[in-house]
Amino acid sequence: MAAMTSISVAKADDEEVTIHIPNLVKVFKDGSIERLQSSPLVPPSTLGSVSSKDIVISSNPSISARLYLPTKLIHHHDAHKVPILVYFHGGAFFFESAFNERHHNYFNLFLSKAEADILVVSVDYRLAPEIPLPAAYHDCWQALKWVASTDSDPWILNHGDFQRVFLGGDSAGANLVHNVALRAGAEALPNGVKVLGAFLSQPYFLSTKPIGSEAVEGHEESPPYVVWGLVYPNAPGGLDNPLINPLAPEAPSLATLGCSKIIVCVAEKDSLRDRGVWYYQAVKNSGWHGHLELYEAEHEDHVFNIHTPESENALKLMKRLAHFILH
């Protein structure tokens, strides 16, 4: 999700707009939607040390991805295998894409500036509200299964180290990471592949009960709350659905997370910062047997690393995540 401070719902005399979340979205009476923050779509490329290409994971449902690989590896089919990062983009479940300029620039910088020999599979899942949740969760699980299969792309088969498969995501993408990691703890992936680690950057979690610095008055009118109602209008339990509230009464135990190490990244000025710390503490106290870290970027707001990827703090976070994956 983008940084947000206010919410407004259209007035009764506005016959066209039914929901307006400033700087994010307008939903019209006829069901059409105007996304206000998506960056332009751009083609894959070979830019210096990083190459990318687009692939189709599934036609029905429609799931695709953009792959990134250090160019130096493309023509070498030797024994040098690199970690596989299966990445889920943010955007509040209803905007952004694996193919937009913002994420394309981010991964070109991530692999080059962090000098990271990593194969990235940036997943393009179906967006709400046209395809409401929980579809995106199923799409991301199917994408992970595809990566682990023998039917995936030659880049993955030739260069990917299936002993070092990672999940990663920002904001809503970090929420997807959590839920896919839980599923990986409960269901087997093809060919015995297991998820080694996961990073959750500024994760989007909520509950009906405010925590930390979250406002008690008007909690249900806050932008993250209203967004959840937009993207999953029939969610059983509302904000206490386990998909958005990992500590909900019916949520699976965090001790069952299906990976061996996790890093949770938060930003000091992010309105969702306390939720990231809350999640970190919950995993820490769950009995989960793995290596857990918390990383905080000072003086930064929500998804700063995607919006200003060349900033000093964004580059620091890239290098920290690369180290987490490579070591």
Side-chain angles (χ1 to χ4, degrees), residues 86 110 138 167 286:
V86 182
F110 178 69
H138 300 312
L167 303 175
S286 70

Side-chain angles (χ1 to χ4, degrees), residues 39-61:
S39 61
L41 300 180
V42 294
S45 62
T46 297
L47 293 173
S49 61
V50 182
S51 294
S52 56
K53 69 174 178 178
D54 295 343
I55 53 89
V56 174
I57 293 173
S58 167
S59 297
N60 185 23

